[in-house]
Amino acid sequence: MEFKVGRTVVRVIQGDITEQETEAIVNAANPTLMGGGGVDGAIHRKGGPSILEECKKIRATQYPKGLPTGKAVITNAGRLKAKYVIHTVGPIWSGGDRGEAELLAEAYRSCLELASSKGIKSIAFPSISTGAYGYPISKASRVALETVKDFLIKEHTINEVVFVLFSREDQKVYEKAAEEILSK
Ligand code: AR6
């Protein structure tokens, strides 16, 4: 499904984030930046060691204690089709009253701001926090779409945003939210 927010095309597709040809893809990482399962595992596996090398440098120089939840950093994308990987850390769901929604919004915003500052024109997001981190997908989809919409209304630097959902069910959840949030 495809939507228009200002001049930006927003697409909601089913697929694998590691196969995307957008300039940047987003990694749902953890604070260590040293890899993990899910999206993180797939990106490092397919992208190869150059991504981890750059993550190690970032840890050593910028974030010795780890990347805080809601922040984002950028690295090369190794052998992936994308040129860059933007690594962010979403919140771990713990019931919803621990600021999870604001932290999730911050993660999406940090990625968009970083992409924008680097002149990146197209970016693909996975559904941050809704796997290992347990964030309910219907709630997370609304935060993701509202945050991206707010950003795109204010800034016109990015031409294409793609939400890449792993399963058809997840795609349906995002499409339903997108029809409501992006169509008005
Ligand atoms: N392409 C697109 N989406 C995917 C892919 C893929 N290749 N693989 C999984 N998903 P998760 P989180 C979906 O767990 O919840 C890692 O170990 C998945 O179905 O990757 O933010 C990190 O190192 C789910 O809907 O990210 C952290 O420790 C969504 O992507 C932790 O998991 C996010 O699932 C982060 O957890």
Side-chain angles (χ1 to χ4, degrees):
M1 217 171 239
E2 203 170 289
F3 301 84
K4 210 82 193 276
V5 179
R7 270 165 272 152
T8 306
V9 177
V10 179
R11 294 194 295 131
V12 178
I13 67 167
Q14 184 190 355
D16 183 334
I17 192 85
T18 63
E19 294 296 323
Q20 301 309 306
E21 296 181 12
T22 45
E23 235 182 303
I25 62 169
V26 171
N27 183 15
N30 64 64
T32 70
L33 294 177
M34 293 298 114
V39 168
D40 200 6
I43 285 177
H44 284 287
R45 222 168 21 248
K46 271 204 198 169
S50 69
I51 303 174
L52 191 61
E53 283 313 308
E54 219 179 326
C55 286
K56 283 181 182 161
K57 282 186 196 137
I58 289 168
R59 282 295 310 278
T61 55
Q62 266 181 283
Y63 289 107
K65 291 184 189 154
L67 184 66
T69 304
K71 300 287 180 271
V73 295
I74 190 165
T75 67
N76 72 84
R79 296 191 287 264
L80 297 173
K81 292 169 188 162
K83 212 161 150 198
Y84 304 101
V85 176
I86 295 178
H87 307 259
T88 190
V89 181
I92 297 170
W93 179 258
S94 45
D97 54 6
R98 300 255 175 109
E100 291 97 326
E102 189 38 51
L103 287 167
L104 186 61
E106 194 189 334
Y108 279 96
R109 239 178 349 253
S110 297
C111 292
L112 292 164
E113 277 162 9
L114 188 50
S116 186
S117 76
K118 298 283 174 193
I120 289 166
K121 298 290 174 201
S122 59
I123 181 168
F125 285 98
S127 182
I128 300 167
S129 283
T130 65
Y133 280 1
Y135 206 121
I137 190 151
S138 61
K139 287 189 169 72
S141 66
R142 302 189 64 88
V143 173
L145 290 157
E146 271 162 7
T147 306
V148 167
K149 182 185 178 183
D150 287 349
F151 181 88
L152 296 177
I153 286 168
K154 286 184 209 129
E155 289 209 34
H156 308 113
T157 48
I158 296 171
N159 298 330
E160 185 190 19
V161 177
V162 187
F163 287 97
V164 183
L165 290 317
F166 216 27
S167 70
R168 175 77 187 116
E169 286 65 43
D170 288 354
Q171 185 197 15
K172 279 189 205 156
V173 172
Y174 267 70
E175 281 181 348
K176 191 160 170 270
E179 273 177 344
E180 197 187 309
I181 293 162
L182 302 183
S183 301
K184 57 181 186 201

